[in-house]
Amino acid sequence: MPASVISSHSKKATGSGTAKGSVETPRSTGEKRLDTTDAPVLVRFKTVRARSLQLIEHLSDEDMVVQSMPDASPAKWHLAHTTWFFERFILRERSPGYEPFDDRFDFLFNSYYEAVGARHPRPMRGLLTRPTLEQVREYRRHVDSQMRGLLSQPLDRDVDALLQLGLAHEEQHQELLVMDALHLFAQSPLKPVFDPEWPLPSSGRTAEFRHSEGGWARIGASSTRFAFDNEGPQHRVWLGPFAIADRLVTNGEWLSFMCAGGYRESRFWLSDGWDLRSAEDWQSPFYWEQHADRWFQMTPAGLQPIDPAAPVLHVSYFEADAYARWAGARLPTEFEWEHAARTVQGLEQLYDTAWQWTSSSYGPYPRFRTAAGAVGEYNGKFMNGQIVLRGACVATPPGHARASYRNFYRAGQRWMFSGIRLARDVDQPSDDPDPEFMSDVLAGLARQPKVLSPKYFYDDRGSELFEAICETPEYYLTRTEIGMLRRVAPEIVSLLDDDTVLLELGSGASVKTRLLLDASSRLSAYVPVDISPDALRAAGERLRADYPSLTFLPQVADFTRHLEVPAALEGRPVLAFFPGSTIGNFDHDQALALLRGLRRRLAPGDRLLIGADQVKDLETLHAAYDDAAGVTAAFNRNLLQRINRELDGDFDLPAFRHEARWNATFSRIEMHLVSTRAQVVAVAGHAFSFEQGESIHTENSHKFTRDSFTHLAAEAGWALEREWISAAPSFGVFLFRAR
């Protein structure tokens, strides 16, 4: 059977593996036998063999015969195959006079060892109604009895090495038995329970990134304990500095990815991944089911509601990679993962929840050599077309995992316990461009019509210009909103609970925040979130001086992708504050995804205070977005100046005029930079042609009615509690409560 089909199943429960295990005890010249007592060896053998039987306690005889897909095997086959391994490689070859239990079993329960001979086809294992389950149990008893006799004698090194490999092999199949049974039960409309006491993934905070300096890292297993052959030889690799998440991606974060079009936007996906997603119509992780408005997932404990704070499981490499791109991060390499597991403090969920995808293809380490004989087929021949996962999962037997362990699966497989730990590049030299900025700019200028994201307006100069816009006589939004907040802040804070956390999205200079802080002492902690570290630093210096008792926990983040209440503040009521009608910068689907994502991150009863500009006459709107002093025009052109500075662009700024347009179809003001002549512009070594009159669309500002905005919020899970709408030029401030 093809190696690509069996590599992560027939040989092991986790898909990781090794050709030949090594006991890795120090060697001395002439030493033939291990200096060990029988008791530890027998205890280890009995413990591993007993655990396989414990796993099937809740399975019926019928459960153990069925094969739910070619990649899976029946539980009965796992019990027989792991027994066959000891019989074939130890008893038959190392125990003189051993009589096989049944010669036919050599054909039935060989998995993929070509050197051993022919075997029953893998996809047909579910047709093996004979031998019966009781005969397989008798087979295990027979082999166990013979093995106990062998283990009562001193072992030579070769037998001990085969024994350690056989025990590790059975532990791999124990994990696989759980995975295969879960897949089988997921096909049943009854959603049977594999184990009613199976532990569900634990809830917790969202991840924070931990820094690693990198440098020379020692990779691979040491020579002091058993390891599979693919974990060596140990060698050194050079790692650049990187950051790695201290926890796994959660279901709630994955739901945000789904709501943001993660399964609909091909731009996030590798080509083969998008083809597979389309062919199999992936809309969610494996085992997820939607009933009414709720998501559930199949687990060994049966069908369970999705816990937004628990890690997402059962995703493919293609999905993991697409999510990482969407989140502005990446998957770690397997070397980064191993180095971080050994050296970075505070990493959680390394070995107890999910195998974690890396970006590394499964291949041999330098100087790797396949061992001689049949057991040499254990790993080496599968080093093609697979991706490495690191860590361990909830189904991994105790003591089986280690930092050097290399699991591997094909990129499209999803039924294993697989999850995601993100990584990022850090400490780029100052003369290197931000890769996300460069990628988005190049992609936006290549589109038709051309478009640039407004989030890149806010470099240091852009932030200053926006503050200046707020002071122009035409820009009514800031003055109107501040006036309203000054009047209604006491009413707002009177509705809050004591010890409320103020979480502000896109905080900027935090000017409007003061109106709430001054109105009540119930706001005991402030979490400003902004993409500009300079804006946060400046605002923080002013706020700390004026509010010394306030807990101040700033977050440098793109709140559309990363938003959380710090772990130290969990459990306290939250008021999310989103002023300035920034919600109008998003189209309908983006705004809905943002509001839904915020709702999922907060608890029922938490509140959202948000500003939303209202539909009004066109003269007022045009003036607000194209002021007579040209401040808004300078703000718009500053984006081109930033591209020139950071991406080696050669935009001629006077050759692009600022233009504000009303789009009645979408009820929004659009900002454009219009080319005044035909020209070619270079950015990061790429050339982009502009026709005269062709524009770059840089920003939208949607305008709402009271009904349209409250309907949008309700669709995202927010119930209206209070509203305040000013006289002309009308602006709305809305207080919502999480349903």
Side-chain angles (χ1 to χ4, degrees):
M1 61 196 77
S4 62
V5 170
I6 64 176
S7 64
S8 50
H9 310 293
S10 59
K11 64 183 181 188
K12 50 197 182 222
T14 61
S16 73
T18 62
K20 176 183 176 184
S22 58
V23 181
E24 297 182 334
T25 54
R27 301 191 180 196
S28 60
T29 304
E31 183 178 345
K32 178 63 176 175
R33 301 196 179 271
L34 294 174
D35 184 16
T36 182
T37 63
D38 292 340
V41 177
L42 282 172
V43 169
R44 166 103 168 108
F45 179 80
K46 291 177 181 179
T47 300
V48 171
R49 296 289 283 169
R51 187 175 188 275
S52 296
L53 299 180
Q54 292 166 359
L55 287 173
I56 64 170
E57 286 181 351
H58 301 288
L59 299 181
S60 69
D61 290 2
E62 292 84 355
D63 293 333
M64 297 180 64
V65 175
V66 181
Q67 181 178 20
S68 57
M69 64 171 174
D71 275 350
S73 297
K76 183 177 75 172
W77 189 91
H78 286 299
L79 297 179
H81 168 69
T82 52
T83 304
W84 169 89
F85 189 97
F86 290 110
E87 181 182 63
R88 159 49 65 184
F89 293 118
I90 296 181
L91 294 177
R92 281 188 176 226
E93 299 182 13
R94 306 287 177 164
S95 181
Y98 172 74
E99 292 291 334
F101 181 81
D102 189 323
D103 284 329
R104 296 172 298 178
F105 285 11
D106 213 34
F107 173 81
L108 292 179
F109 301 123
N110 178 8
S111 55
Y112 58 81
Y113 295 93
E114 301 286 349
V116 173
R119 57 205 170 276
H120 185 71
R122 174 182 181 80
M124 300 176 66
R125 290 173 184 168
L127 302 181
L128 293 176
T129 58
R130 305 296 176 91
T132 65
L133 177 59
E134 181 51 40
Q135 288 173 312
V136 168
R137 289 179 180 272
E138 180 60 30
Y139 179 37
R140 288 181 67 89
R141 288 192 288 267
H142 169 81
V143 169
D144 286 358
S145 175
Q146 296 295 314
M147 285 294 298
R148 286 194 296 270
L150 180 65
L151 298 180
S152 67
Q153 305 297 321
L155 304 178
D156 68 36
R157 288 187 177 280
D158 291 341
V159 173
D160 187 78
L162 287 169
L163 173 66
Q164 301 303 326
L165 178 61
L167 293 173
H169 167 262
E170 180 147 0
E171 287 178 326
Q172 292 177 318
H173 275 270
Q174 289 168 356
E175 182 176 318
L176 181 58
L177 189 154
V178 176
M179 292 163 46
D180 290 352
L182 175 59
H183 186 272
L184 172 66
F185 284 176
Q187 314 312 308
S188 169
L190 301 179
K191 304 303 178 190
V193 173
F194 172 78
D195 182 350
E197 298 182 0
W198 189 266
L200 297 177
S202 59
S203 298
R205 61 176 175 82
T206 53
E208 298 176 0
F209 281 86
R210 308 274 179 160
H211 181 80
S212 173
E213 294 292 344
W216 284 108
R218 189 169 296 279
I219 299 299
S222 68
S223 58
T224 59
R225 57 171 292 186
F226 170 83
F228 291 119
D229 68 340
N230 69 350
E231 298 175 58
Q234 195 173 80
H235 60 291
R236 294 202 308 163
V237 300
W238 177 261
L239 301 176
F242 64 96
I244 190 165
D246 61 4
R247 290 177 66 85
L248 305 185
V249 171
T250 66
N251 290 320
E253 291 169 319
W254 197 269
L255 284 164
S256 296
F257 171 66
M258 292 165 58
C259 290
Y263 282 97
R264 302 190 302 272
E265 294 280 350
S266 61
R267 61 193 175 96
F268 300 126
W269 293 72
L270 295 169
S271 177
D272 287 349
W274 182 251
D275 289 346
L276 186 59
R277 186 226 67 82
S278 301
E280 298 188 1
D281 193 29
W282 293 351
Q283 300 293 336
S284 64
F286 207 47
Y287 297 139
W288 280 34
E289 301 179 10
Q290 192 169 22
H291 299 281
D293 293 330
R294 297 188 66 190
W295 281 99
F296 295 79
Q297 65 178 343
M298 187 62 181
T299 75
L303 195 65
Q304 300 289 332
I306 290 294
D307 178 358
V312 67
L313 300 175
H314 305 295
V315 292
S316 67
Y317 167 77
F318 290 135
E319 290 165 288
D321 180 77
Y323 177 88
R325 293 169 191 265
W326 173 80
R330 60 176 175 83
L331 301 178
T333 69
E334 64 166 318
F335 303 138
E336 289 173 333
W337 192 101
E338 181 174 337
H339 180 64
R342 299 184 194 277
T343 63
V344 176
Q345 298 297 314
L347 298 190
E348 302 175 20
Q349 301 172 324
L350 284 171
Y351 303 110
D352 58 0
T353 304
W355 289 100
Q356 295 138 56
W357 287 106
T358 74
S359 60
S360 300
S361 297
Y362 177 53
Y365 285 166
R367 304 184 310 282
F368 172 82
R369 296 291 182 272
T370 300
V375 292
E377 299 182 53
Y378 202 86
N379 278 304
K381 69 181 185 181
F382 302 113
M383 292 177 172
N384 175 61
Q386 317 237 26
I387 306 294
V388 174
L389 300 92
R390 291 302 194 106
C393 73
V394 65
T396 305
H400 187 74
R402 51 193 168 269
S404 62
Y405 202 113
R406 304 177 77 200
N407 201 347
F408 53 92
Y409 284 97
R410 298 192 305 280
Q413 292 178 301
R414 310 205 294 163
W415 100 113
M416 58 283 191
F417 292 93
S418 52
I420 307 169
R421 185 182 300 275
L422 295 177
R424 289 177 180 167
D425 297 312
V426 297
D427 287 348
Q428 300 177 80
S430 59
D431 57 349
D432 284 352
D434 178 343
E436 183 181 3
F437 179 42
M438 181 168 68
S439 175
D440 287 351
V441 167
L442 294 179
L445 293 178
R447 288 180 56 179
Q448 288 297 332
K450 295 177 171 64
V451 62
L452 293 174
S453 172
K455 71 180 181 181
Y456 295 118
F457 279 138
Y458 299 97
D459 62 353
D460 292 347
R461 177 59 176 159
S463 297
E464 293 174 359
L465 286 168
F466 181 73
E467 295 302 323
I469 289 173
C470 296
E471 299 297 326
T472 61
E474 297 93 339
Y475 196 75
Y476 61 87
L477 289 88
T478 302
R479 287 189 304 278
T480 304
E481 186 177 28
I482 288 176
M484 293 179 66
L485 286 173
R486 184 173 287 117
R487 291 193 304 273
V488 303
E491 180 181 353
I492 293 170
V493 297
S494 70
L495 301 171
L496 304 180
D497 299 318
D498 290 337
D499 212 23
T500 293
V501 176
L502 180 61
L503 173 70
E504 184 172 2
L505 285 64
S507 55
S510 301
V511 173
K512 298 165 189 172
T513 315
R514 292 173 174 270
L515 301 174
L516 299 177
L517 295 175
D518 290 341
S520 175
S521 60
R522 291 181 177 179
L523 297 169
S524 60
Y526 177 44
V527 184
V529 183
D530 201 275
I531 200 170
S532 171
D534 293 322
L536 283 173
R537 184 165 49 251
E541 291 173 355
R542 295 189 295 268
L543 288 170
R544 285 190 181 97
D546 295 339
Y547 305 93
S549 63
L550 181 69
T551 300
F552 184 72
L553 296 173
Q555 293 186 17
V556 179
D558 177 354
F559 62 78
T560 65
R561 294 182 175 180
H562 303 284
L563 181 65
E564 62 180 288
V565 177
L569 304 178
E570 286 184 0
R572 291 162 61 172
V574 175
L575 173 64
F577 186 32
F578 196 21
S581 196
T582 307
I583 191 68
N585 296 146
F586 302 90
D587 65 29
H588 177 275
D589 290 344
Q590 292 170 335
L592 184 60
L594 176 63
L595 293 174
R596 280 177 172 167
L598 180 62
R599 169 62 192 87
R600 279 190 294 271
R601 284 168 172 80
L602 301 183
D606 285 343
R607 291 180 168 90
L608 168 64
L609 182 64
I610 185 169
D613 196 19
Q614 304 293 289
V615 174
K616 55 183 55 68
D617 65 280
L618 296 187
E619 182 179 356
T620 300
L621 287 173
H622 278 293
Y625 291 89
D626 192 6
D627 58 275
V631 181
T632 309
F635 174 72
N636 204 6
R637 289 196 190 93
N638 182 65
L639 181 53
L640 304 184
Q641 183 63 50
R642 180 181 179 184
I643 293 172
N644 286 350
R645 181 177 65 252
E646 298 183 24
L647 302 180
D648 195 26
D650 64 356
F651 277 101
D652 179 10
L653 270 62
F656 287 85
R657 61 178 172 82
H658 166 73
E659 184 176 299
R661 302 175 183 171
W662 173 251
N663 187 323
T665 301
F666 296 105
S667 190
R668 71 190 185 198
I669 282 281
E670 300 175 352
M671 292 210 320
H672 292 258
L673 289 166
V674 182
S675 178
T676 60
R677 55 181 169 83
Q679 56 183 310
V680 176
V681 175
V683 177
H686 297 259
F688 299 95
S689 297
F690 287 82
E691 299 293 334
Q692 183 176 359
E694 184 179 1
S695 78
I696 308 172
H697 186 177
T698 57
E699 187 177 39
N700 295 317
S701 184
H702 289 79
K703 307 304 173 184
F704 302 93
T705 64
R706 182 262 185 203
D707 290 341
S708 69
F709 190 67
T710 55
H711 177 76
L712 173 69
E715 193 175 355
W718 295 96
L720 182 64
E721 190 168 3
R722 294 284 194 282
E723 63 181 76
W724 302 269
I725 298 178
S726 72
S730 57
F731 187 93
V733 173
F734 299 84
L735 182 66
F736 295 100
R737 193 179 185 94
R739 290 205 298 261

